Amino acid sequence: SPKSHRKRSKQWYQRRVRGRMRVLRRLLKKYREDKKIDKHMYHELYVQSKGNIFKNKRVLMEHIHKKKSEAARAKALQEQADARRARSRATQERKAAKTAQKQALYMNIEEVAEES
């Protein structure tokens, strides 16, 4: 009957999805143990794989590599920005010291002029 066929096809699809999920979870577990991903990324990807976001293992691996490269890029940009801030702060301090020195010199010159 059509109803039993529908039931069988649903069961087949569920088995297929469960099999795919098992493969993805195994890969995530392996990556976490090999320290390729941290526990936060693991949890995020685990939930996404449970939600059927990744079609297969290759797509999941590509997603992981993309995420890691984005994180590395963001970290490099952050380090560059910090270095730029430190350089500008040092320049400002040098300029402030130089102007303070000039002001002190100018004050000394004025005092000498007033005395004579």
Side-chain angles (χ1 to χ4, degrees), residues 33-83:
E33 288 169 355
D34 294 343
K35 305 277 190 239
K36 290 184 180 179
I37 58 175
D38 62 343
K39 63 182 181 181
H40 303 291
M41 188 184 277
Y42 170 83
H43 180 70
E44 185 180 317
L45 295 171
Y46 186 93
V47 172
Q48 286 179 345
S49 63
K50 182 181 180 183
N52 206 15
I53 301 292
F54 306 111
K55 180 179 171 185
N56 54 35
K57 188 175 168 180
R58 181 181 52 83
V59 173
L60 174 60
M61 288 169 66
E62 286 173 359
H63 184 80
I64 290 170
H65 293 307
K66 186 178 172 186
K67 278 270 203 189
K68 284 176 72 174
S69 65
E70 282 176 7
R73 185 170 175 270
K75 186 178 178 186
L77 289 173
Q78 183 64 38
E79 286 173 357
Q80 286 176 359
D82 291 344

Side-chain angles (χ1 to χ4, degrees), residues 13 22 34 39 66 69 99 111-113:
Y13 183 73
R22 201 174 299 131
D34 294 343
K39 63 182 181 181
K66 186 178 172 186
S69 65
T99 49
E111 287 174 6
V112 171

